[in-house]
Amino acid sequence: MLDANIQEQLKAYLQRLEQPIQIMTSLDNSDASAQMRELVNEIDALSDSVSIVETNDAELKPSFRVAPLNHAGERGIARFAGLPMGHEFTSLVLALLQMGGYPPKVDASVIEQIRNLPGNYQFETFISLSCHNCPDVVQALNLMAALNPRVQHTMIDGGMFQEIVETRQIMAVPTVFLNGQEFGAGRMTIEEILAKLDTGAAAREAEKISAQAPYDVLIVGGGPAGSAAAVYAARKGIRTGILAERFGGQVMDTLGIENFISVQETEGPKLVAQLEQHVKSYDVDIMNLQRAAALTPALEAGGYAEVRTASGAVLQAKSVIISTGARWRELNVPGELEYRGKGVAYCPHCDGPLFKGKRVAVIGGGNSGVEAAIDLAGIVGHVTLIEFGAELRADAVLQRKLVSLPNVVILKNAQTLEVLGDGNKVNGLVYKNRENGEDIRVELEGIFVQIGLLPNTDWLKGTLNLSKTGEIEVDSHGQTSATGIFAAGDCTTVPYKQIIIAMGEGAKASLGAFDYLIRSSAPA
């Protein structure tokens, strides 16, 4: 099950256990159970601090749970219903360590908040092993179980437990249930989960943020542009802060990155972790889970701009760099919002395995759409690619690959009109043949939207000059139309939305802001 290199690494990790742990299995006669038995036995052989007990006490088989050997009720339960391999192997390693008393790498305030949660919490997270968003949620909830005896968490592999997926009508991962009710879907950090459980946390955090002294540079957005801006500003020795709705931004949802110069291949979450580590190596205040709601530029050079958050916090700064990035463009047709997460999806890597053997559509004929169709063709039963224009816009090499696939149909000059469903999940769509005006219905179970991006600038309308597509207009120094306000990355008019370009623009905007600070503070 585990190759020699992985076993050696895992053996070294298990030496960090501060107390013995027990793996309790619940198996049957299936091949999956045989694989699970092989996995836990290999783990058992790597450390004297690990023991295995076959209990067969769980409804979900195969599954196993991890707990301290003599936990005396001081910890909750972390259960894996499915083989935690692929992206989830790290989740397994962390569960072993944390249940064995190894201290987690989170702020002391987060640990205290977890331990003080009132009530009892039984979480279930439905995942797919190809989902790169799922491990963050699994690891967060497992950590909560390791710290709070009233928290139980079960990771459920949707591909292995298809009947449960069908019964609960789960069509997107990760999907989290709390005490039998749907709690949330999509990537969630431990801070986001706690904010939903501890309703007073947002107000306390807003009060804390508002008490901050004014910044020299306040960066709104924590993606590649914002991270680069923060590093460049902090290296100038000026007071720097980052206000971010989600540190890492859209890069967190990017699977493969193969064009980041000097790094031959990486993944979005890994790159974001490196960005955060780099930013934190400097004296930068990071205020995460904070969505900017309003901007008031300074009335004159040398004055203070204000940024107000959705939670009510107010921050002041001598200069502001906006790097709020972009989000997936929606179809904006009837049924899309109603069936989001119920058949309408935006990430083929994450949600594709839930549609194994089924019929799906991909909307969009650019690189993203064609790549999605190619990936899905290897999983689902049939793919219909729908392109509004007369020709696909993807690279020729991708188009050649697409047309070679036997279970793909390409529809051009097709305008998606409506998403159809039975009230619970998607069962089709309607598109217009733009050549003859005929409306045509397609029977299917899933729709993957891949039609580009929209800048996250709605909160700036009427404050800064925006293009007709909502992008912030900037000059060669990253300066916007307002005094002391700069912008960088995918939310601006700078062409070619690439990670490496966003980083460069973030550095440039930071240098522009520093130049502004020097000049605005100079004596008359």
Side-chain angles (χ1 to χ4, degrees):
M1 177 66 67
L2 302 177
D3 64 38
N5 289 333
I6 295 295
Q7 289 193 33
E8 283 300 312
Q9 293 176 36
L10 183 54
K11 183 177 182 179
Y13 282 127
L14 293 177
Q15 291 175 359
R16 302 178 186 179
L17 295 176
E18 296 184 0
Q19 60 185 12
I21 59 174
Q22 192 172 62
I23 299 177
M24 288 154 279
T25 61
S26 188
L27 308 174
D28 52 27
N29 295 322
S30 66
D31 291 340
S33 285
Q35 290 180 302
M36 184 171 288
R37 182 179 286 108
E38 180 182 356
L39 173 64
V40 298
N41 285 339
E42 287 182 1
I43 296 172
D44 180 34
L46 296 175
S47 174
D48 293 335
S49 296
V50 178
S51 59
I52 308 296
V53 175
E54 289 202 19
T55 63
N56 294 322
D57 62 348
E59 293 182 7
L60 295 176
K61 297 180 181 181
S63 67
F64 66 91
R65 62 188 175 101
V66 182
L69 182 59
N70 298 305
H71 56 78
E74 77 218 16
R75 299 182 189 277
I77 293 175
R79 185 185 297 276
F80 294 88
L83 283 169
M85 303 302 288
H87 290 297
E88 291 296 348
F89 186 68
T90 300
S91 302
L92 170 60
V93 175
L94 288 174
L96 295 170
L97 291 173
Q98 290 161 0
M99 287 296 179
Y102 187 77
K105 294 182 178 179
V106 294
D107 292 341
S109 60
V110 172
I111 293 175
E112 182 181 5
Q113 192 177 4
I114 293 170
R115 286 176 171 161
N116 291 334
L117 285 173
N120 297 301
Y121 306 89
Q122 186 169 350
F123 288 101
E124 299 165 292
T125 304
F126 288 83
I127 62 100
S128 67
L129 295 179
S130 61
C131 170
H132 59 287
N133 291 323
C134 296
D136 281 359
V137 179
V138 173
Q139 291 163 26
L141 292 171
N142 280 348
L143 172 58
M144 290 173 61
L147 294 172
N148 189 325
R150 296 180 300 279
V151 176
Q152 299 184 23
H153 175 237
T154 302
M155 180 213 83
I156 303 174
D157 179 3
M160 183 174 290
F161 294 92
Q162 285 282 346
E163 288 187 8
I164 300 177
V165 167
E166 292 288 342
T167 300
R168 299 204 193 181
Q169 298 181 348
I170 294 164
M171 308 193 77
V173 292
T175 294
V176 179
F177 283 75
L178 170 59
N179 299 334
Q181 301 296 317
E182 187 168 334
F183 175 76
R187 179 191 293 276
M188 290 183 286
T189 64
I190 195 166
E191 291 85 1
E192 289 173 307
I193 294 169
L194 288 171
K196 294 187 70 172
L197 297 174
D198 183 0
T199 54
R204 294 195 302 270
E205 187 65 16
E207 184 178 354
K208 177 182 174 182
I209 290 172
S210 295
Q212 294 281 1
Y215 290 95
D216 292 312
V217 175
L218 177 64
I219 298 149
V220 183
S227 298
V231 169
Y232 267 72
R235 286 174 62 86
K236 294 294 186 182
I238 58 179
R239 180 165 162 73
T240 305
I242 289 184
L243 189 76
E245 187 170 3
R246 180 179 65 157
F247 195 93
Q250 197 180 35
V251 177
M252 289 292 284
D253 302 323
T254 304
L255 185 58
I257 300 171
E258 299 177 352
N259 56 358
F260 189 69
I261 309 306
S262 82
V263 179
Q264 187 170 344
E265 183 178 357
T266 188
E267 295 181 347
K270 182 178 179 180
L271 178 59
V272 169
Q274 293 170 326
L275 289 175
E276 188 171 11
Q277 184 179 16
H278 195 177
V279 172
K280 286 182 174 179
S281 69
Y282 294 97
D283 188 14
V284 177
D285 289 342
I286 299 178
M287 294 159 281
N288 206 9
L289 305 183
Q290 299 297 322
R291 179 168 58 85
L295 168 70
T296 304
L299 296 177
E300 58 184 3
Y304 289 116
E306 281 191 353
V307 174
R308 181 178 295 274
T309 71
S311 63
V314 177
L315 286 161
Q316 290 187 324
K318 294 178 181 177
S319 65
V320 175
I321 299 173
I322 300 168
S323 56
T324 46
R327 63 189 182 277
W328 292 115
R329 185 185 297 273
E330 297 173 349
L331 291 169
N332 290 321
V333 300
E336 179 183 16
L337 295 182
E338 180 183 354
Y339 291 104
R340 178 179 290 173
K342 299 177 181 178
V344 175
Y346 300 85
C347 179
H349 300 294
C350 300
D351 300 332
L354 297 177
F355 295 86
K356 184 177 180 180
K358 297 181 179 180
R359 301 163 297 177
V360 304
V362 174
I363 315 298
N367 281 349
S368 296
V370 172
E371 287 174 351
I374 293 170
D375 289 344
L376 290 166
I379 303 171
V380 305
H382 188 271
V383 179
T384 301
L385 186 138
I386 299 176
E387 163 57 31
F388 181 85
E391 298 295 336
L392 300 182
R393 294 165 284 110
D395 294 342
V397 63
L398 295 175
Q399 293 192 42
R400 288 195 296 271
K401 175 63 176 177
L402 183 69
V403 299
S404 73
L405 300 173
N407 61 337
V408 174
V409 168
I410 302 170
L411 303 177
K412 302 174 186 177
N413 272 324
Q415 179 183 358
T416 305
L417 297 179
E418 184 179 2
V419 173
L420 305 175
D422 60 7
N424 294 311
K425 58 184 178 179
V426 166
N427 61 20
L429 64 77
V430 176
Y431 75 90
K432 175 183 287 186
N433 183 325
R434 298 176 60 233
E435 293 181 342
N436 60 23
E438 181 184 2
D439 290 353
I440 301 172
R441 174 175 176 143
V442 180
E443 305 290 334
L444 43 76
E445 289 77 40
I447 299 170
F448 290 84
V449 182
Q450 301 282 289
I451 56 174
L453 303 171
L454 280 175
N456 294 317
T457 58
D458 293 344
W459 63 290
L460 295 168
K461 290 178 180 178
T463 303
L464 302 178
N465 289 346
L466 306 178
S467 71
K468 63 180 181 180
T469 56
E471 296 173 330
I472 303 170
E473 295 180 351
V474 293
D475 66 13
S476 59
H477 289 70
Q479 172 77 51
T480 71
S481 58
T483 300
I485 310 298
F486 297 77
D490 288 4
C491 64
T492 72
T493 51
V494 173
Y496 309 120
K497 311 306 185 187
Q498 299 290 307
I499 293 171
I500 196 166
I501 292 174
M503 286 183 173
E505 291 297 310
K508 184 171 69 177
S510 190
L511 293 173
F514 183 68
D515 185 65
Y516 162 79
L517 292 172
I518 293 173
R519 296 175 185 276
S520 62
S521 63

